[in-house]
Amino acid sequence: MTQPTSASPPLASALLDALHFSATKHSDQRRKDKEASPYINHPIRVAQLLATEGGVTDLVTLQAAILHDTVEDTDTTPEEIERRFGPEVRRVVEEVTDDKSLPKAERKQRQVEHAPHLSPQAKQLKIADKTANVQNITTSPPDGWSLERKREYLDWADRVVAGCRGCNPALEAVYDQVMAQGRQALAGVAH
Ligand code: NDP
Ligand code: ZN
């Protein structure tokens, strides 16, 4: 029997390793939507947006996307990421990791201020992350969020993404489209 040809087995292995690691770390977590979707759906979506909409083939960026919330939201340490996936993936994951010791409002302000200083890899990851979250706010929002809170989130996402532009026009166009759909959906709601 002929074996199926593979363009790049190491790439597939590296992505699957990251996926397995991330799925294990996030296994007991859920998103904030009413259905409490499995958390891993989100990092998968972020990596998929980068690859399919942004045309990103850089392995470090895609692995970092799959792992982007592990240090912030699980017991994963930056050292652990470096041991398993190397220093570059660690660097990108750390770039997009909030300091959870700070109050939430300050963390959000820091994201806006730091965005222009991120590496191109981290900027693209941020845009994909905000695209996924804005889409979620529009179609499967966190349970109990008021219209005002959703709008505030969209406004904040726009401020972060403003500092990330210039690296990937195709990805930015998808973000703009998703944001426009989100604004339209929220504009049609009375409260
Ligand atoms: P959170 O940061 O608590 O929640 C948003 C984050 O949750 C997203 O960035 C995303 O992060 C994650 N997430 C999980 N599930 C979903 C989902 N279904 N849809 C979208 N995102 C999801 O909330 P805020 O951004 O509102 O931050 C808190 C701030 O809001 C504070 O500064 C506070 O002052 C303010 N606030 C405002 C209120 C209002 O009514 N206006 C009320 C209370 C607080 P990730 O990608 O990391 O998973
Ligand atoms: Zn995220």
Side-chain angles (χ1 to χ4, degrees), residues 9-29:
L11 175 70
S13 302
L15 290 176
L16 289 168
D17 276 351
L19 200 50
H20 175 66
F21 180 88
S22 187
T24 305
K25 290 291 190 175
H26 289 299
S27 62
D28 60 352
Q29 296 175 335

Side-chain angles (χ1 to χ4, degrees), residues 60-78:
V60 168
T61 309
L62 296 176
Q63 283 186 307
I66 292 168
L67 299 164
H68 80 272
D69 279 329
T70 54
V71 173
E72 193 171 300
D73 292 333
T74 78
D75 64 2
T76 307
T77 62

Side-chain angles (χ1 to χ4, degrees), residues 114-179:
H114 288 167
H117 309 293
L118 296 174
S119 67
Q121 290 160 314
K123 282 181 176 171
Q124 292 175 82
L125 207 170
K126 271 279 169 211
I127 295 174
D129 190 29
K130 295 297 180 257
T131 304
N133 284 337
V134 168
Q135 205 159 43
N136 284 160
I137 298 282
T138 310
T139 60
S140 47
D143 200 18
W145 275 31
S146 66
L147 183 61
E148 185 202 3
R149 188 157 182 192
K150 293 177 194 170
R151 284 193 180 133
E152 275 179 16
Y153 189 93
L154 266 51
D155 291 344
W156 170 69
D158 262 346
R159 292 201 297 277
V160 176
V161 167
C164 298
R165 290 184 186 269
C167 301
N168 189 326
L171 189 65
E172 290 163 35
V174 171
Y175 169 83
D176 289 335
Q177 196 181 6
V178 166
M179 177 57 85

Side-chain angles (χ1 to χ4, degrees), residues 68-69 71-72 93-102 104 107-108 110-111 114 126 130 156:
H68 80 272
D69 279 329
V71 173
E72 193 171 300
V93 171
E94 282 199 284
E95 280 189 274
V96 300
T97 297
D98 283 356
D99 179 351
K100 274 199 153 173
S101 68
L102 297 171
K104 246 191 181 161
R107 273 154 53 189
K108 292 179 86 82
R110 281 192 177 210
Q111 280 203 35
H114 288 167
K126 271 279 169 211
K130 295 297 180 257
W156 170 69

